[in-house]
Amino acid sequence: MDRAAALASALDARGGRRLPAVEWPEELASTSDRLKALARAGAPEWTTVLADRQTGGRGREGRAWASPPGGLYLSVLLRPRFEKVGLLPLAAGVAVAEAAGELGVRVELKWPNDVLASGRKLAGILSEAASGPGGVEWVVLGVGVNVAIDPAALPPEVAGSATSLRAVGGADVPVAAVAAAVLHRLGLCYDGLASRPGGVMTAWRSRAAPWWGEQVEVRTGEGELRGRLLEVDDDGALVVLVEGRRRRLLSGEVTRLRPAAAAG
Ligand code: BTN
C-alpha cells in the first residue's frame, strides 16, 4: 500500500471521513498551490495533498514556510456551506492542538492560528479562499507541523523561534500518523462549525495563550496598533482596546509587549 492509501485507511480506522482523493509525492513547490489548481478544476471537498518536502512552502503574510523533510505539509480542500466560514482557520488550530494532545504535547494557540509549544512555533496554518456570486466557493487549508525536522535544516531567522513535536517530547510517530490525527480532528471541528460554532470557539479559547488584559502590538495590512488585548469574539476577530476604543481586527500578527515597551 502506498502512503496516500495508508493515510486513507488510517483515517478510516479512526472512523473519520473518507477522503475522495489523496496525492502525496515526495516533493512539491507547495501543497496549497497544487490543491488550489485542483480546486479550480472542480475537485471535491476533502481532496488532500501532502508532500515530504516543499521547495516553495508559503506562510501567512507572504512569508516563506521552510519545509525540510521530517515535517507534515498538508493541504485540504473544503467547500463549506455553513455561515461561519471565517472561523475555519481557528478550527484548524484547534484540530492541530488536539492532534498534538494525542501525542502528549500541550500547545497554546496564538491568534489567529499559530500553534506554539514551549513558547515556540510548532505549526502554522494558511487559509486561502475563493468566492463567487454565491459566496465562498472553496477554502484551501494548508497545515504545516514540525514533526521531527532537523533544526539545522531551518533558516537561521526561524530556527530560534521554532520547535518540533520531537523536540518537545511528543510520541515518536510517523508523519502519516500525525496527518491522520490532524485530518480526523479537522473533520470533527468542521462538523462542529456547521452545527455548533460556539463550541469550536470555546475549544479555541480554552487553548489560547493567556494574554488577555496585556498590552499587545498588532501588525495589520494598514499598519501597526498598540492596545490592551480584550478577547477573541465569536466571529474569530481579535478585540483590542486602543485609546479607549474597541477595535475589531480580522487579520494581523499579534505580539505581546514587554512592560517597558508598552509604557512607551
Ligand atoms: C504560517 O505562516 O504560520 C502558516 C504556514 C502554513 C504552511 C503550510 S505547509 C502546507 C501548506 N503549503 C504551503 O505552501 N503552506 C502551507
Side-chain angles (χ1 to χ4, degrees), residues 96-186:
V96 173
E98 290 176 347
E102 284 187 26
L103 302 170
V105 173
R106 208 187 127 64
V107 303
E108 280 186 344
L109 298 175
K110 179 166 91 72
W111 184 88
N113 47 23
D114 281 346
V115 183
L116 309 178
S118 305
R120 292 170 170 231
K121 189 141 167 169
L122 177 74
I125 291 150
L126 177 69
S127 174
E128 298 173 289
S131 298
V136 173
E137 282 181 359
W138 52 257
V139 176
V140 166
L141 274 182
V143 179
V145 182
N146 299 331
V147 178
I149 51 170
D150 175 0
L154 290 175
E157 63 274 18
V158 295
S161 57
T163 192
S164 66
L165 287 171
R166 174 181 284 173
V168 294
D172 193 9
V173 297
V175 170
V178 183
V182 168
L183 284 166
H184 181 213
R185 299 286 183 162
L186 185 61

Side-chain angles (χ1 to χ4, degrees), residues 30-47:
S30 158
T31 55
S32 286
D33 288 350
R34 169 66 186 147
L35 191 53
K36 280 159 71 177
L38 295 175
R40 288 185 196 106
E45 180 165 63
W46 291 98
T47 297

